[in-house]
């Protein structure tokens, strides 16, 4: 491709940009009427498994918001099906055969990425439709977050089963995480081969761990995925929530860009992360506030970044289902105007 690279990709590389790039985690979804319309006819799994529909849902926010990147429409839990688990969304995710013992782990198929070709087909379609100034982000769940669903069987308050497995059976935990990390790395590499120009690893529940649990039981596996994916040459974003108590350790696992939530000031995060590019970190609840409050919060984040290279504006976690679309659009415009 000739000409300028998308500003999102330049920022991932800490290169100079004409304006701060912005996109929103969970930018495709229920807060948009056009998504809800499609969901009347199709389940979330149908949307994700039909490349034309996944392409359409990926592009919906691109038509409404002036964002710099599209994120593939899929889900971090798609990988558990070809690994051998039974997944449903009702509407929250639920897995009817959670992993609890040796034989459950032994049965898991680590060559799961081969069976996710609908994702790679969707990426090819999206790339064809997307404006060349916008980047396409692929993604997967990070080993801990995916394993937490695999073991708990769904969302969890205290991560009781997964922590018990990790702490009481570190040998079995290691076997499980090795399978998850292999499948995840192969999945992300295949997304890049299909046309994803950057990838994000979502460690949404990593903040449930103590820093020592993270370092000992999770970081080596996350680091392995990040180093495998680095070989593809595309930028990698490592995102976690609740990481402010161990941000340096989290970043030590790797990633070109570190995603931070709203529980840490962006200037403090930047100081702790040194030269690393950062992504974040507006509190998603601010999108429900009045325009004046919201704009001040956007300005504050840009001020804390202080014009440094390597900032991608985003939320600290995903857009909530009842978020007003106009506020999301306004944030994207303000980020470009004010930076
Ligand atoms: O726009 C995008 O961000 C792309 C699509 C995307 C989805 N899930 C679609 C989805 C992405 C990036 C994800 C990631 C994901 N999925 C994460 C990590 C990000 C995060 O928010 O922490 C997690 C933990 C999941 C697991 C998951 N999937 C949950 C907990 C739920 C139910 C909660 C909810 O938001 O309803 C889902 C379902 C899901 N995945 C929806 C969407 C748009 C809502 C489904 C619906 O239409 O009913």
């Amino acid at each position: 491709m000739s000409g300028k690279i998308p500003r999102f990709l330049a920022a991932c590389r800490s290169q100079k940009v004409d304006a701060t790039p912005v996109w929103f985690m969970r930018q495709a979804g229920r807060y948009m009427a056009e998504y809800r319309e499609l969901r009347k006819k199709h389940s979330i799994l149908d949307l994700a498994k039909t490349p034309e529909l996944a392409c359409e849902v990926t592009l919906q926010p691109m038509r409404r918001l002036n964002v710099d990147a599209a994120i593939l429409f899929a889900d971090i839990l798609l990988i558990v099906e070809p690994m051998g688990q039974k997944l449903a969304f009702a509407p929250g995710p639920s897995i009817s055969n959670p992993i609890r013992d040796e034989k459950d782990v032994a049965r898991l198929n680590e060559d799961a990425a081969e069976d996710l070709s609908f994702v790679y087909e969707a990426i090819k379609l999206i790339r064809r439709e997307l404006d060349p100034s916008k980047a396409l982000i692929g993604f997967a769940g990070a080993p801990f977050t995916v394993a937490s669903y695999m073991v708990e069987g769904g969302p969890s308050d205290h991560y009781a089963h997964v922590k018990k497995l990790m702490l009481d059976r570190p040998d079995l935990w290691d076997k499980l995480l090795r399978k998850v990390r292999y499948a995840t790395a192969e999945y992300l590499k295949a997304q890049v081969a299909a046309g994803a120009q950057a990838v994000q690893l979502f460690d949404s529940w990593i903040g449930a761990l103590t820093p020592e649990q993270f370092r000992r039981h999770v970081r080596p596996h996350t680091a392995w995925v990040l180093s495998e994916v680095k070989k593809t040459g595309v930028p990698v974003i490592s995102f976690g929530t609740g990481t402010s108590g161990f941000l340096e350790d989290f970043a030590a696992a790797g990633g070109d860009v570190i995603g931070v939530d709203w529980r840490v000031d962006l200037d403090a995060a930047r100081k702790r992360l040194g030269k690393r590019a950062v992504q974040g970190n507006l509190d998603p609840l601010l999108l429900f506030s009045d325009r004046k409050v919201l704009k001040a919060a956007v300005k504050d984040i840009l001020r804390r970044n202080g014009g440094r290279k390597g900032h991608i504006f985003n939320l600290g976690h995903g857009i909530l289902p009842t978020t007003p679309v106009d506020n999301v659009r306004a944030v994207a415009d303000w980020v470009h105007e004010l930076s």
Side-chain angles (χ1 to χ4, degrees):
M1 195 173 63
S2 64
K4 289 199 302 189
I5 71 163
R7 61 161 85 94
F8 166 85
L9 294 175
C12 287
R13 304 273 183 225
S14 295
Q15 292 164 1
K16 200 165 174 292
V17 286
D18 59 343
T20 301
V22 52
W23 68 282
F24 300 95
M25 289 184 277
R26 306 298 281 272
Q27 66 190 16
R30 283 165 299 181
Y31 76 110
M32 279 199 177
E34 49 271 47
Y35 176 84
R36 294 194 298 271
E37 211 37 54
L38 268 184
R39 278 282 281 111
K40 287 182 188 161
K41 288 177 275 176
H42 307 280
S43 68
I44 171 163
L45 285 173
D46 286 344
L47 291 181
K49 290 180 182 181
T50 311
E52 293 73 20
L53 293 173
C55 174
E56 168 58 23
V57 179
T58 301
L59 296 174
Q60 283 176 346
M62 306 310 288
R63 299 184 191 117
R64 285 257 232 149
L65 315 169
N66 190 11
V67 286
D68 296 289
I71 182 158
L72 163 72
F73 186 81
D75 193 88
I76 62 164
L77 296 177
L78 293 177
I79 200 160
V80 310
E81 276 192 326
M83 290 195 81
Q85 292 195 286
K86 296 190 191 91
L87 173 68
F89 287 91
S94 103
I95 295 169
S96 56
N97 52 341
I99 307 293
R100 294 294 157 79
D101 59 25
E102 311 264 7
K103 68 179 182 341
D104 295 334
V105 174
R107 263 203 297 264
L108 286 172
N109 170 31
E110 63 181 348
D111 294 317
E114 292 168 7
D115 298 327
L116 292 163
S117 55
F118 51 85
V119 171
Y120 317 136
E121 289 310 310
I123 289 173
K124 289 178 196 159
L125 289 180
I126 300 161
R127 209 37 279 176
R128 224 176 289 151
E129 304 265 325
L130 197 62
D131 187 286
S133 67
K134 316 281 183 179
L136 175 59
I137 306 170
F139 72 94
F144 173 77
T145 292
V146 171
S148 79
Y149 282 102
M150 293 175 82
V151 173
E152 298 290 337
S156 172
D157 289 332
H158 303 294
Y159 302 91
H161 294 288
V162 73
K163 283 197 178 182
K164 193 162 170 56
L165 178 67
M166 173 193 294
L167 300 172
D168 292 356
R169 289 294 313 273
D171 57 318
L172 189 54
W173 172 253
D174 189 69
K175 274 188 194 149
L176 169 61
L177 276 255
R178 280 173 189 271
K179 285 191 159 183
V180 173
R181 79 185 197 184
Y182 178 79
T184 303
E186 293 300 301
Y187 180 43
L188 288 171
K189 287 185 203 167
Q191 291 184 33
V192 173
Q197 295 154 290
V199 294
Q200 176 159 322
L201 203 58
F202 282 90
D203 221 345
S204 306
W205 312 135
I206 196 66
L209 298 183
T210 70
E212 181 57 17
Q213 288 164 0
F214 173 71
R215 286 187 293 264
R216 184 183 303 226
H217 299 290
V218 176
R219 191 171 65 189
H221 304 291
T222 305
W224 191 86
V225 174
L226 291 168
S227 74
E228 283 296 301
V229 179
K230 196 178 170 69
K231 296 176 188 166
T232 66
V234 306
V236 185
I237 306 166
S238 178
F239 165 76
T241 73
T243 54
S244 45
F246 55 98
L247 192 58
E248 295 82 355
D249 290 320
F250 183 76
D256 301 284
V257 182
I258 301 299
V260 289
D261 73 11
W262 63 90
R263 297 170 183 91
V264 55
D265 289 327
L266 195 70
D267 45 346
R270 291 219 72 148
K271 203 165 168 197
R272 291 168 65 184
L273 293 170
K275 287 209 177 314
R276 206 80 71 91
V278 295
Q279 176 174 280
N281 68 341
L282 186 75
D283 179 350
L285 256 300
L286 272 155
L287 291 168
F288 294 87
S289 279
D290 357 290
R291 287 296 176 95
K292 263 169 73 186
V293 175
L294 178 57
K295 191 169 185 177
V298 170
K299 273 188 181 162
D300 186 60
I301 289 171
L302 294 171
R303 179 186 65 77
R304 288 178 189 279
N305 185 61
R308 275 170 286 205
K309 289 177 193 158
H311 177 217
I312 296 154
F313 195 100
N314 204 316
L315 305 177
H317 201 173
I319 293 185
L320 295 160
T322 56
T323 300
V325 180
D326 285 347
N327 283 355
V328 184
R329 191 192 351 230
V331 169
D333 292 340
W334 290 332
V335 170
H336 291 145
E337 284 161 23
L338 297 169
S339 60

